[in-house]
Amino acid sequence: MADTARAHLNMLLVEEQNLLRKTVSLTARSLGLGAVHEAATLQAAERLLRERAFQGAVISIDCGAQGDCMYNLTLLDKLRNGLSASPATIPIAVMVDQATTDLMRELRERQVNRVILKPFRAKILLEAFESFSGAPPAQR
């Protein structure tokens, strides 16, 4: 039953790097974790979020090399405020290039379930998606 539920999961991955998106999406499908819908931009992610419900999302909110950069948390706010086809309570993991105290506070306020620091292995994203099902981890 858990495998059936897991196979029907719709998950969103928002990441600008094409190779990473494709690797995670194909691997998740081959492991039976469900469908990972890819978005390279925030605009594409917003469109997908309006069109379908997701059981979880992994969202990159890179700031880049700028020291005084402000992270764009708009997509997180829209999700948590119910401005999508998904429940406002879906699990969200965020990928960031650096985790400042202020950013971590902002993410806690938005009830982000997991913070993934870059660089990381694709396996970390797969584990995040796997956790969205609430089922025990698949044997690999």
mmCIF file of all heavy atoms in Angstrom, residues 39-83:
data_model
loop_
_atom_site.group_PDB
_atom_site.id
_atom_site.type_symbol
_atom_site.label_atom_id
_atom_site.label_comp_id
_atom_site.label_asym_id
_atom_site.label_seq_id
_atom_site.Cartn_x
_atom_site.Cartn_y
_atom_site.Cartn_z
ATOM 1 N N ALA A 39 10.551 22.737 -12.477
ATOM 2 C CA ALA A 39 10.403 24.143 -12.835
ATOM 3 C C ALA A 39 11.776 24.797 -12.728
ATOM 4 O O ALA A 39 12.437 24.688 -11.695
ATOM 5 C CB ALA A 39 9.412 24.837 -11.909
ATOM 6 N N ALA A 40 12.174 25.462 -13.801
ATOM 7 C CA ALA A 40 13.479 26.117 -13.815
ATOM 8 C C ALA A 40 13.420 27.537 -13.251
ATOM 9 O O ALA A 40 14.430 28.087 -12.832
ATOM 10 C CB ALA A 40 14.030 26.161 -15.236
ATOM 11 N N THR A 41 12.220 28.132 -13.231
ATOM 12 C CA THR A 41 12.063 29.505 -12.766
ATOM 13 C C THR A 41 10.900 29.607 -11.780
ATOM 14 O O THR A 41 10.043 28.716 -11.713
ATOM 15 C CB THR A 41 11.758 30.454 -13.947
ATOM 16 O OG1 THR A 41 10.478 30.093 -14.503
ATOM 17 C CG2 THR A 41 12.838 30.379 -15.018
ATOM 18 N N LEU A 42 10.866 30.701 -11.048
ATOM 19 C CA LEU A 42 9.753 30.925 -10.123
ATOM 20 C C LEU A 42 8.438 31.071 -10.876
ATOM 21 O O LEU A 42 7.399 30.604 -10.419
ATOM 22 C CB LEU A 42 10.021 32.167 -9.267
ATOM 23 C CG LEU A 42 11.163 32.045 -8.261
ATOM 24 C CD1 LEU A 42 11.361 33.354 -7.506
ATOM 25 C CD2 LEU A 42 10.910 30.910 -7.285
ATOM 26 N N GLN A 43 8.480 31.692 -12.050
ATOM 27 C CA GLN A 43 7.270 31.864 -12.846
ATOM 28 C C GLN A 43 6.714 30.508 -13.283
ATOM 29 O O GLN A 43 5.507 30.279 -13.222
ATOM 30 C CB GLN A 43 7.542 32.745 -14.080
ATOM 31 C CG GLN A 43 7.900 34.174 -13.757
ATOM 32 C CD GLN A 43 9.356 34.361 -13.325
ATOM 33 O OE1 GLN A 43 10.202 33.469 -13.458
ATOM 34 N NE2 GLN A 43 9.652 35.512 -12.756
ATOM 35 N N ALA A 44 7.588 29.618 -13.717
ATOM 36 C CA ALA A 44 7.151 28.279 -14.115
ATOM 37 C C ALA A 44 6.586 27.531 -12.908
ATOM 38 O O ALA A 44 5.582 26.821 -13.015
ATOM 39 C CB ALA A 44 8.309 27.507 -14.745
ATOM 40 N N ALA A 45 7.220 27.697 -11.756
ATOM 41 C CA ALA A 45 6.741 27.042 -10.532
ATOM 42 C C ALA A 45 5.360 27.565 -10.152
ATOM 43 O O ALA A 45 4.471 26.782 -9.793
ATOM 44 C CB ALA A 45 7.730 27.271 -9.396
ATOM 45 N N GLU A 46 5.154 28.864 -10.238
ATOM 46 C CA GLU A 46 3.846 29.442 -9.911
ATOM 47 C C GLU A 46 2.765 28.893 -10.823
ATOM 48 O O GLU A 46 1.658 28.590 -10.371
ATOM 49 C CB GLU A 46 3.906 30.960 -9.986
ATOM 50 C CG GLU A 46 4.677 31.576 -8.840
ATOM 51 C CD GLU A 46 4.778 33.082 -8.928
ATOM 52 O OE1 GLU A 46 4.094 33.706 -9.774
ATOM 53 O OE2 GLU A 46 5.539 33.652 -8.133
ATOM 54 N N ARG A 47 3.084 28.759 -12.106
ATOM 55 C CA ARG A 47 2.111 28.205 -13.055
ATOM 56 C C ARG A 47 1.748 26.774 -12.688
ATOM 57 O O ARG A 47 0.578 26.408 -12.615
ATOM 58 C CB ARG A 47 2.661 28.273 -14.484
ATOM 59 C CG ARG A 47 1.686 27.753 -15.532
ATOM 60 C CD ARG A 47 2.226 27.828 -16.948
ATOM 61 N NE ARG A 47 3.588 27.411 -17.156
ATOM 62 C CZ ARG A 47 4.043 26.159 -17.126
ATOM 63 N NH1 ARG A 47 3.225 25.175 -16.862
ATOM 64 N NH2 ARG A 47 5.310 25.882 -17.351
ATOM 65 N N LEU A 48 2.769 25.947 -12.415
ATOM 66 C CA LEU A 48 2.516 24.562 -12.014
ATOM 67 C C LEU A 48 1.700 24.483 -10.727
ATOM 68 O O LEU A 48 0.797 23.647 -10.601
ATOM 69 C CB LEU A 48 3.836 23.809 -11.822
ATOM 70 C CG LEU A 48 4.563 23.377 -13.091
ATOM 71 C CD1 LEU A 48 5.957 22.853 -12.756
ATOM 72 C CD2 LEU A 48 3.769 22.326 -13.837
ATOM 73 N N LEU A 49 1.996 25.359 -9.779
ATOM 74 C CA LEU A 49 1.281 25.352 -8.503
ATOM 75 C C LEU A 49 -0.187 25.753 -8.657
ATOM 76 O O LEU A 49 -1.036 25.320 -7.886
ATOM 77 C CB LEU A 49 1.984 26.266 -7.491
ATOM 78 C CG LEU A 49 3.271 25.691 -6.917
ATOM 79 C CD1 LEU A 49 4.102 26.771 -6.252
ATOM 80 C CD2 LEU A 49 2.959 24.564 -5.948
ATOM 81 N N ARG A 50 -0.480 26.574 -9.642
ATOM 82 C CA ARG A 50 -1.884 26.939 -9.913
ATOM 83 C C ARG A 50 -2.627 25.789 -10.586
ATOM 84 O O ARG A 50 -3.817 25.617 -10.384
ATOM 85 C CB ARG A 50 -1.960 28.172 -10.807
ATOM 86 C CG ARG A 50 -1.669 29.481 -10.110
ATOM 87 C CD ARG A 50 -2.010 30.674 -10.985
ATOM 88 N NE ARG A 50 -1.354 30.654 -12.282
ATOM 89 C CZ ARG A 50 -0.186 31.210 -12.556
ATOM 90 N NH1 ARG A 50 0.476 31.839 -11.605
ATOM 91 N NH2 ARG A 50 0.334 31.158 -13.759
ATOM 92 N N GLU A 51 -1.904 25.016 -11.403
ATOM 93 C CA GLU A 51 -2.524 23.980 -12.232
ATOM 94 C C GLU A 51 -2.757 22.655 -11.520
ATOM 95 O O GLU A 51 -3.669 21.920 -11.882
ATOM 96 C CB GLU A 51 -1.662 23.711 -13.467
ATOM 97 C CG GLU A 51 -1.581 24.884 -14.415
ATOM 98 C CD GLU A 51 -0.570 24.673 -15.523
ATOM 99 O OE1 GLU A 51 0.136 23.632 -15.540
ATOM 100 O OE2 GLU A 51 -0.473 25.560 -16.391
ATOM 101 N N ARG A 52 -1.945 22.319 -10.542
ATOM 102 C CA ARG A 52 -2.070 20.997 -9.916
ATOM 103 C C ARG A 52 -1.653 21.049 -8.454
ATOM 104 O O ARG A 52 -0.920 21.929 -8.040
ATOM 105 C CB ARG A 52 -1.256 19.947 -10.660
ATOM 106 C CG ARG A 52 0.241 20.109 -10.522
ATOM 107 C CD ARG A 52 1.008 19.021 -11.243
ATOM 108 N NE ARG A 52 0.833 19.175 -12.667
ATOM 109 C CZ ARG A 52 0.616 18.165 -13.512
ATOM 110 N NH1 ARG A 52 0.575 16.945 -13.070
ATOM 111 N NH2 ARG A 52 0.469 18.383 -14.794
ATOM 112 N N ALA A 53 -2.134 20.052 -7.725
ATOM 113 C CA ALA A 53 -1.779 19.930 -6.312
ATOM 114 C C ALA A 53 -0.535 19.059 -6.175
ATOM 115 O O ALA A 53 -0.369 18.083 -6.894
ATOM 116 C CB ALA A 53 -2.940 19.326 -5.530
ATOM 117 N N PHE A 54 0.310 19.431 -5.248
ATOM 118 C CA PHE A 54 1.532 18.684 -4.967
ATOM 119 C C PHE A 54 1.509 18.209 -3.521
ATOM 120 O O PHE A 54 0.906 18.848 -2.658
ATOM 121 C CB PHE A 54 2.769 19.555 -5.206
ATOM 122 C CG PHE A 54 2.972 19.903 -6.647
ATOM 123 C CD1 PHE A 54 2.497 21.100 -7.159
ATOM 124 C CD2 PHE A 54 3.612 19.023 -7.499
ATOM 125 C CE1 PHE A 54 2.671 21.414 -8.500
ATOM 126 C CE2 PHE A 54 3.782 19.320 -8.844
ATOM 127 C CZ PHE A 54 3.312 20.523 -9.338
ATOM 128 N N GLN A 55 2.172 17.077 -3.273
ATOM 129 C CA GLN A 55 2.279 16.562 -1.917
ATOM 130 C C GLN A 55 3.562 17.018 -1.232
ATOM 131 O O GLN A 55 3.784 16.722 -0.071
ATOM 132 C CB GLN A 55 2.217 15.022 -1.916
ATOM 133 C CG GLN A 55 0.832 14.471 -2.165
ATOM 134 C CD GLN A 55 0.406 14.553 -3.619
ATOM 135 O OE1 GLN A 55 1.189 14.326 -4.525
ATOM 136 N NE2 GLN A 55 -0.847 14.885 -3.839
ATOM 137 N N GLY A 56 4.407 17.736 -1.952
ATOM 138 C CA GLY A 56 5.640 18.260 -1.386
ATOM 139 C C GLY A 56 6.400 19.052 -2.429
ATOM 140 O O GLY A 56 6.158 18.905 -3.626
ATOM 141 N N ALA A 57 7.306 19.916 -1.961
ATOM 142 C CA ALA A 57 8.088 20.739 -2.879
ATOM 143 C C ALA A 57 9.501 20.929 -2.333
ATOM 144 O O ALA A 57 9.696 21.055 -1.124
ATOM 145 C CB ALA A 57 7.426 22.100 -3.075
ATOM 146 N N VAL A 58 10.449 20.925 -3.263
ATOM 147 C CA VAL A 58 11.826 21.294 -2.952
ATOM 148 C C VAL A 58 12.116 22.528 -3.802
ATOM 149 O O VAL A 58 12.003 22.482 -5.029
ATOM 150 C CB VAL A 58 12.829 20.165 -3.264
ATOM 151 C CG1 VAL A 58 14.253 20.646 -3.028
ATOM 152 C CG2 VAL A 58 12.538 18.937 -2.416
ATOM 153 N N ILE A 59 12.450 23.627 -3.134
ATOM 154 C CA ILE A 59 12.577 24.919 -3.811
ATOM 155 C C ILE A 59 13.951 25.512 -3.553
ATOM 156 O O ILE A 59 14.365 25.656 -2.398
ATOM 157 C CB ILE A 59 11.486 25.886 -3.307
ATOM 158 C CG1 ILE A 59 10.095 25.289 -3.567
ATOM 159 C CG2 ILE A 59 11.638 27.259 -3.957
ATOM 160 C CD1 ILE A 59 8.966 26.024 -2.874
ATOM 161 N N SER A 60 14.639 25.864 -4.634
ATOM 162 C CA SER A 60 15.931 26.529 -4.527
ATOM 163 C C SER A 60 15.679 28.028 -4.392
ATOM 164 O O SER A 60 14.938 28.615 -5.177
ATOM 165 C CB SER A 60 16.762 26.246 -5.776
ATOM 166 O OG SER A 60 17.976 26.947 -5.693
ATOM 167 N N ILE A 61 16.300 28.630 -3.391
ATOM 168 C CA ILE A 61 16.168 30.086 -3.213
ATOM 169 C C ILE A 61 17.554 30.719 -3.120
ATOM 170 O O ILE A 61 17.867 31.441 -2.185
ATOM 171 C CB ILE A 61 15.293 30.452 -2.002
ATOM 172 C CG1 ILE A 61 15.829 29.837 -0.724
ATOM 173 C CG2 ILE A 61 13.852 30.086 -2.214
ATOM 174 C CD1 ILE A 61 15.184 30.394 0.537
ATOM 175 N N ASP A 62 18.372 30.438 -4.114
ATOM 176 C CA ASP A 62 19.739 30.943 -4.139
ATOM 177 C C ASP A 62 19.802 32.454 -4.011
ATOM 178 O O ASP A 62 18.971 33.178 -4.527
ATOM 179 C CB ASP A 62 20.427 30.549 -5.445
ATOM 180 C CG ASP A 62 20.779 29.086 -5.470
ATOM 181 O OD1 ASP A 62 20.901 28.495 -4.397
ATOM 182 O OD2 ASP A 62 20.912 28.532 -6.564
ATOM 183 N N CYS A 63 20.847 32.866 -3.362
ATOM 184 C CA CYS A 63 21.131 34.280 -3.213
ATOM 185 C C CYS A 63 22.331 34.676 -4.066
ATOM 186 O O CYS A 63 22.501 35.821 -4.405
ATOM 187 C CB CYS A 63 21.396 34.596 -1.743
ATOM 188 S SG CYS A 63 21.385 36.331 -1.351
ATOM 189 N N GLY A 64 23.146 33.708 -4.396
ATOM 190 C CA GLY A 64 24.332 33.997 -5.188
ATOM 191 C C GLY A 64 25.490 34.447 -4.327
ATOM 192 O O GLY A 64 25.477 34.297 -3.105
ATOM 193 N N ALA A 65 26.484 35.012 -4.959
ATOM 194 C CA ALA A 65 27.710 35.392 -4.257
ATOM 195 C C ALA A 65 27.605 36.736 -3.553
ATOM 196 O O ALA A 65 28.505 37.127 -2.830
ATOM 197 C CB ALA A 65 28.869 35.429 -5.257
ATOM 198 N N GLN A 66 26.512 37.467 -3.757
ATOM 199 C CA GLN A 66 26.365 38.782 -3.144
ATOM 200 C C GLN A 66 26.172 38.643 -1.638
ATOM 201 O O GLN A 66 25.340 37.869 -1.173
ATOM 202 C CB GLN A 66 25.151 39.503 -3.740
ATOM 203 C CG GLN A 66 25.204 39.595 -5.245
ATOM 204 C CD GLN A 66 23.834 39.903 -5.837
ATOM 205 O OE1 GLN A 66 22.817 39.710 -5.201
ATOM 206 N NE2 GLN A 66 23.842 40.384 -7.058
ATOM 207 N N GLY A 67 26.906 39.405 -0.883
ATOM 208 C CA GLY A 67 26.808 39.341 0.564
ATOM 209 C C GLY A 67 25.552 39.971 1.120
ATOM 210 O O GLY A 67 25.045 39.562 2.154
ATOM 211 N N ASP A 68 25.015 40.981 0.465
ATOM 212 C CA ASP A 68 23.854 41.700 0.985
ATOM 213 C C ASP A 68 22.558 41.313 0.263
ATOM 214 O O ASP A 68 21.577 42.028 0.318
ATOM 215 C CB ASP A 68 24.081 43.206 0.861
ATOM 216 C CG ASP A 68 24.319 43.643 -0.579
ATOM 217 O OD1 ASP A 68 24.554 42.782 -1.451
ATOM 218 O OD2 ASP A 68 24.265 44.864 -0.835
ATOM 219 N N CYS A 69 22.549 40.182 -0.367
ATOM 220 C CA CYS A 69 21.416 39.718 -1.160
ATOM 221 C C CYS A 69 20.207 39.408 -0.280
ATOM 222 O O CYS A 69 20.349 38.909 0.828
ATOM 223 C CB CYS A 69 21.830 38.469 -1.939
ATOM 224 S SG CYS A 69 20.498 37.684 -2.823
ATOM 225 N N MET A 70 19.039 39.703 -0.791
ATOM 226 C CA MET A 70 17.791 39.337 -0.117
ATOM 227 C C MET A 70 17.231 38.104 -0.816
ATOM 228 O O MET A 70 17.080 38.091 -2.033
ATOM 229 C CB MET A 70 16.778 40.487 -0.215
ATOM 230 C CG MET A 70 17.194 41.740 0.510
ATOM 231 S SD MET A 70 17.272 41.531 2.298
ATOM 232 C CE MET A 70 15.561 41.266 2.667
ATOM 233 N N TYR A 71 16.936 37.077 -0.061
ATOM 234 C CA TYR A 71 16.345 35.871 -0.621
ATOM 235 C C TYR A 71 14.910 36.160 -1.027
ATOM 236 O O TYR A 71 14.185 36.864 -0.324
ATOM 237 C CB TYR A 71 16.369 34.732 0.403
ATOM 238 C CG TYR A 71 17.742 34.153 0.624
ATOM 239 C CD1 TYR A 71 18.553 34.606 1.650
ATOM 240 C CD2 TYR A 71 18.223 33.139 -0.189
ATOM 241 C CE1 TYR A 71 19.803 34.065 1.852
ATOM 242 C CE2 TYR A 71 19.471 32.592 0.005
ATOM 243 C CZ TYR A 71 20.252 33.061 1.032
ATOM 244 O OH TYR A 71 21.489 32.527 1.232
ATOM 245 N N ASN A 72 14.478 35.577 -2.161
ATOM 246 C CA ASN A 72 13.107 35.743 -2.630
ATOM 247 C C ASN A 72 12.265 34.609 -2.037
ATOM 248 O O ASN A 72 12.367 33.463 -2.456
ATOM 249 C CB ASN A 72 13.071 35.712 -4.158
ATOM 250 C CG ASN A 72 11.694 35.982 -4.696
ATOM 251 O OD1 ASN A 72 10.699 35.957 -3.980
ATOM 252 N ND2 ASN A 72 11.622 36.242 -5.987
ATOM 253 N N LEU A 73 11.448 34.941 -1.063
ATOM 254 C CA LEU A 73 10.624 33.959 -0.367
ATOM 255 C C LEU A 73 9.162 34.024 -0.810
ATOM 256 O O LEU A 73 8.290 33.430 -0.170
ATOM 257 C CB LEU A 73 10.737 34.170 1.143
ATOM 258 C CG LEU A 73 12.165 34.140 1.706
ATOM 259 C CD1 LEU A 73 12.163 34.427 3.197
ATOM 260 C CD2 LEU A 73 12.845 32.820 1.401
ATOM 261 N N THR A 74 8.894 34.714 -1.908
ATOM 262 C CA THR A 74 7.529 34.909 -2.401
ATOM 263 C C THR A 74 6.815 33.591 -2.670
ATOM 264 O O THR A 74 5.646 33.437 -2.314
ATOM 265 C CB THR A 74 7.554 35.758 -3.692
ATOM 266 O OG1 THR A 74 8.266 36.954 -3.425
ATOM 267 C CG2 THR A 74 6.160 36.083 -4.163
ATOM 268 N N LEU A 75 7.494 32.654 -3.299
ATOM 269 C CA LEU A 75 6.866 31.373 -3.618
ATOM 270 C C LEU A 75 6.474 30.627 -2.336
ATOM 271 O O LEU A 75 5.390 30.056 -2.249
ATOM 272 C CB LEU A 75 7.798 30.521 -4.474
ATOM 273 C CG LEU A 75 7.192 29.270 -5.092
ATOM 274 C CD1 LEU A 75 6.031 29.618 -6.020
ATOM 275 C CD2 LEU A 75 8.245 28.504 -5.864
ATOM 276 N N LEU A 76 7.335 30.668 -1.338
ATOM 277 C CA LEU A 76 7.011 30.048 -0.050
ATOM 278 C C LEU A 76 5.784 30.706 0.577
ATOM 279 O O LEU A 76 4.894 30.023 1.101
ATOM 280 C CB LEU A 76 8.192 30.161 0.917
ATOM 281 C CG LEU A 76 9.472 29.425 0.551
ATOM 282 C CD1 LEU A 76 10.564 29.739 1.556
ATOM 283 C CD2 LEU A 76 9.236 27.942 0.456
ATOM 284 N N ASP A 77 5.733 32.033 0.511
ATOM 285 C CA ASP A 77 4.593 32.757 1.066
ATOM 286 C C ASP A 77 3.297 32.385 0.355
ATOM 287 O O ASP A 77 2.262 32.187 0.993
ATOM 288 C CB ASP A 77 4.821 34.263 0.988
ATOM 289 C CG ASP A 77 5.904 34.739 1.941
ATOM 290 O OD1 ASP A 77 6.173 34.038 2.942
ATOM 291 O OD2 ASP A 77 6.491 35.800 1.681
ATOM 292 N N LYS A 78 3.350 32.277 -0.961
ATOM 293 C CA LYS A 78 2.142 31.911 -1.716
ATOM 294 C C LYS A 78 1.664 30.512 -1.325
ATOM 295 O O LYS A 78 0.471 30.284 -1.155
ATOM 296 C CB LYS A 78 2.407 31.993 -3.217
ATOM 297 C CG LYS A 78 2.510 33.411 -3.707
ATOM 298 C CD LYS A 78 2.743 33.489 -5.189
ATOM 299 C CE LYS A 78 2.803 34.952 -5.608
ATOM 300 N NZ LYS A 78 2.993 35.131 -7.036
ATOM 301 N N LEU A 79 2.595 29.581 -1.207
ATOM 302 C CA LEU A 79 2.225 28.227 -0.801
ATOM 303 C C LEU A 79 1.597 28.218 0.588
ATOM 304 O O LEU A 79 0.539 27.618 0.803
ATOM 305 C CB LEU A 79 3.455 27.316 -0.806
ATOM 306 C CG LEU A 79 3.815 26.671 -2.126
ATOM 307 C CD1 LEU A 79 5.227 26.124 -2.087
ATOM 308 C CD2 LEU A 79 2.833 25.558 -2.437
ATOM 309 N N ARG A 80 2.253 28.853 1.534
ATOM 310 C CA ARG A 80 1.783 28.827 2.920
ATOM 311 C C ARG A 80 0.502 29.631 3.127
ATOM 312 O O ARG A 80 -0.238 29.396 4.070
ATOM 313 C CB ARG A 80 2.875 29.333 3.866
ATOM 314 C CG ARG A 80 4.018 28.343 4.015
ATOM 315 C CD ARG A 80 3.507 26.995 4.501
ATOM 316 N NE ARG A 80 4.589 26.073 4.788
ATOM 317 C CZ ARG A 80 4.581 24.810 4.421
ATOM 318 N NH1 ARG A 80 3.578 24.306 3.735
ATOM 319 N NH2 ARG A 80 5.586 24.020 4.721
ATOM 320 N N ASN A 81 0.214 30.567 2.248
ATOM 321 C CA ASN A 81 -1.008 31.363 2.357
ATOM 322 C C ASN A 81 -2.151 30.779 1.541
ATOM 323 O O ASN A 81 -3.177 31.434 1.355
ATOM 324 C CB ASN A 81 -0.739 32.817 1.957
ATOM 325 C CG ASN A 81 0.109 33.521 3.004
ATOM 326 O OD1 ASN A 81 -0.110 33.373 4.192
ATOM 327 N ND2 ASN A 81 1.095 34.273 2.555
ATOM 328 N N GLY A 82 -1.967 29.561 1.021
ATOM 329 C CA GLY A 82 -3.044 28.880 0.314
ATOM 330 C C GLY A 82 -3.313 29.405 -1.082
ATOM 331 O O GLY A 82 -4.407 29.210 -1.613
ATOM 332 N N LEU A 83 -2.339 30.051 -1.691
ATOM 333 C CA LEU A 83 -2.522 30.618 -3.029
ATOM 334 C C LEU A 83 -2.024 29.662 -4.110
ATOM 335 O O LEU A 83 -1.328 30.061 -5.042
ATOM 336 C CB LEU A 83 -1.803 31.969 -3.128
ATOM 337 C CG LEU A 83 -2.277 33.022 -2.122
ATOM 338 C CD1 LEU A 83 -1.430 34.275 -2.213
ATOM 339 C CD2 LEU A 83 -3.753 33.338 -2.338
#
